[in-house]
Amino acid sequence: MADAMWMCLGYLADAVRGGAALLSAITTTPTATTTPTTTTTAPTMPVSTDSATAPTHPPSIDHLVSLTAWSTPSTPSHPTSRLAPSSLSPSTPLPPNHILTHLTHLTLTSNNTSYARVGHLLGYWTFFPAPAPWGRLPVYGIATVLASTAASIPPGTRLLGMYPASTYHLAPAHLDASHPGMVLDGLSRSANAALYRGSWILAASTASDSAWTTWFVAAVTATALRHHLAPSLPRDATLLVVGATSRCALACATLLRPLVQRVVGASHSRAHAAWAAGAAGAAAGVYDAAFCYEDADAAPAVGGSGPVLVLEFSGRREAVGRVVDVLGGRVWKTLLVGGADFRAPRVEVGGGETVMVTGFQEGMVESLGWRGWWGEVERAVGAMEGVGAVEIVERVGWSEVERQWEVLVAGEERDPGVAVVVRV
């Protein structure tokens, strides 16, 4: 029961919640600096049909995840997934009011292991059902409409949103009447928050497709937190970002930096802390300092003497609790936002507030309107693409998707300076 309670609380920032409003994806054209991407070919695996470049109409593949491996809170055994052929193809007949999409870009992050671990409790496995004992993992990415019988969603429309890890996806779809930039593309997610139940028409943008794939969820999180905190955040505050190298953490550090006096990163890994202090340091516009909270006294490492806002992304709540205790009365507020390490035991942090970012997002939309909200998110994606500390690397093929997934599940320490986008 205790672990179930953690799973419900620890991932409220990513959890599905009904009642959120829908999005109008009317894009603006902010100025952004584009970071060149690097493309490499995935290593060949026995089950793979990859080629050196992504074909126009590739073979239909499903990346299936073992539900048995994720049926308990313990660390799953390996391997936890497989690649399987799918019956869908570009020539699949469409019922009325449906679209057939081809997933072209996707990324896998710690959010995806969160979806897997709490999927039985929060319904993530129902988003895109697969025959037992397998599930289709939700991923964020970009898809192109190949065929359509839905009004106002013609073939060639490019969509940004949550999709199954599959080459093709067939779903009922329609434009939201109030916000015609959003496509509602499934019945199984109709009760969920807007971030989970639809896709957004991706019009011309100064940000690249790989940047949207890499930074979209982080930009939604960071803009929502900034809007929520800005009116009351003390301007002499220090922002302490725990789990400093996750994408959401980096985006929050970058976007909140103008509102505070100092931004400090903290990581359980000495190597990640060194990266945050160096490559993602002040010259990159992210952190003024960083430390490893496993072997450093938090008070001198944080520096300054004013109030401290703690944003916790690591999921290592026990260690974070120790940091908060050391800072004592300096802590202005502690917000617990998800968790990058799904293995870490979950405990409550004294005075910590588990936050639901989708609620902050809704408040932001009410204040700015959907046009204003989308503009803020697009500017945030552009800003993060311009952060030189993170290189977006493009790789190709479903074997690379499977490899990236198993790396995440194994808990291998990844280079925080590299964000992998897979073209399929």
Side-chain angles (χ1 to χ4, degrees):
M1 177 64 71
D3 197 73
M5 182 174 295
W6 158 71
M7 286 188 284
C8 289
L9 292 175
Y11 289 102
L12 278 173
D14 293 315
V16 284
R17 291 294 186 269
L22 300 179
L23 172 64
S24 175
I26 303 173
T27 59
T28 58
T29 55
T31 301
T33 302
T34 301
T35 301
T37 58
T38 304
T39 303
T40 61
T41 303
T44 302
M45 300 178 66
V47 293
S48 174
T49 55
D50 301 341
S51 61
T53 58
T56 304
H57 295 302
S60 187
I61 295 293
D62 286 332
H63 176 238
L64 299 178
V65 174
S66 169
L67 298 183
T68 304
W70 292 93
S71 60
T72 65
S74 60
T75 301
S77 58
H78 300 281
T80 66
S81 68
R82 68 185 180 96
L83 299 179
S86 168
S87 61
L88 292 177
S89 75
S91 59
T92 297
L94 272 62
N97 302 312
H98 277 62
I99 58 174
L100 178 70
T101 55
H102 168 210
L103 185 64
T104 60
H105 297 71
L106 68 91
T107 189
L108 292 171
T109 70
S110 57
N111 277 345
N112 297 102
T113 53
S114 303
Y115 300 153
R117 187 168 187 185
V118 300
H120 295 85
L121 290 177
L122 299 174
Y124 289 121
W125 296 120
T126 68
F127 284 8
F128 310 108
W134 300 96
R136 292 202 294 173
L137 189 73
V139 297
Y140 278 97
I142 294 175
T144 299
V145 177
L146 293 183
S148 173
T149 55
S152 303
I153 312 175
T157 302
R158 292 179 348 110
L159 301 173
L160 168 71
M162 180 176 275
Y163 289 92
S166 302
T167 310
Y168 303 112
H169 178 49
L170 177 65
H174 63 275
L175 291 178
D176 174 52
S178 301
H179 308 96
M182 186 173 187
V183 174
L184 303 182
D185 57 3
L187 300 178
S188 62
R189 297 177 286 157
S190 59
N192 302 132
L195 191 62
Y196 298 90
R197 71 172 177 259
S199 303
W200 296 272
I201 296 175
L202 191 60
S205 172
T206 55
S208 68
D209 286 355
S210 288
W212 276 109
T213 305
T214 300
W215 294 110
F216 174 64
V217 174
V220 169
T221 301
T223 54
L225 283 171
R226 180 178 63 184
H227 186 267
H228 174 74
L229 292 167
S232 57
L233 182 60
R235 291 304 183 262
D236 63 340
T238 293
L239 172 61
L240 174 59
V241 181
V242 184
T245 59
S246 76
R247 293 177 198 173
C248 284
L250 290 166
C252 286
T254 303
L255 268 63
L256 288 170
R257 185 179 176 87
L259 303 182
V260 297
Q261 189 174 79
R262 179 176 168 83
V263 181
V264 178
S267 175
H268 75 285
S269 161
R270 294 183 182 89
H272 281 207
W275 178 86
V286 185
Y287 296 112
D288 294 299
F291 65 97
C292 174
Y293 54 72
E294 297 290 355
D295 59 7
D297 184 347
V302 171
S305 58
V308 179
L309 166 63
V310 181
L311 293 184
E312 204 291 286
F313 293 93
S314 72
R316 296 171 178 263
R317 302 284 160 79
E318 185 175 358
V320 174
R322 294 196 300 268
V323 173
V324 169
D325 289 343
V326 170
L327 292 172
R330 288 189 60 190
V331 176
W332 175 70
K333 185 176 290 189
T334 300
L335 300 182
L336 312 177
V337 191
D341 186 351
F342 73 92
R343 286 174 186 72
R346 288 331 196 254
V347 298
E348 290 306 300
V349 177
E353 175 189 352
T354 301
V355 297
M356 185 172 69
V357 173
T358 52
F360 295 162
Q361 173 198 0
E362 185 174 357
M364 184 177 173
V365 170
E366 290 176 357
S367 175
L368 301 180
W370 284 110
R371 181 190 295 272
W373 182 89
W374 183 260
E376 290 294 307
V377 171
E378 184 170 22
R379 281 186 284 275
V381 170
M384 295 314 299
E385 187 175 24
V387 172
V390 179
E391 178 189 10
I392 300 176
V393 175
E394 290 187 350
R395 294 178 179 159
V396 178
W398 283 103
S399 61
E400 181 64 25
V401 174
E402 187 175 43
R403 190 180 78 83
Q404 290 291 321
W405 171 250
E406 295 299 342
V407 166
L408 277 172
V409 174
E412 295 180 23
E413 188 165 287
R414 301 197 295 176
D415 183 349
V418 174
V420 176
V421 171
V422 185
R423 293 194 294 114
V424 289

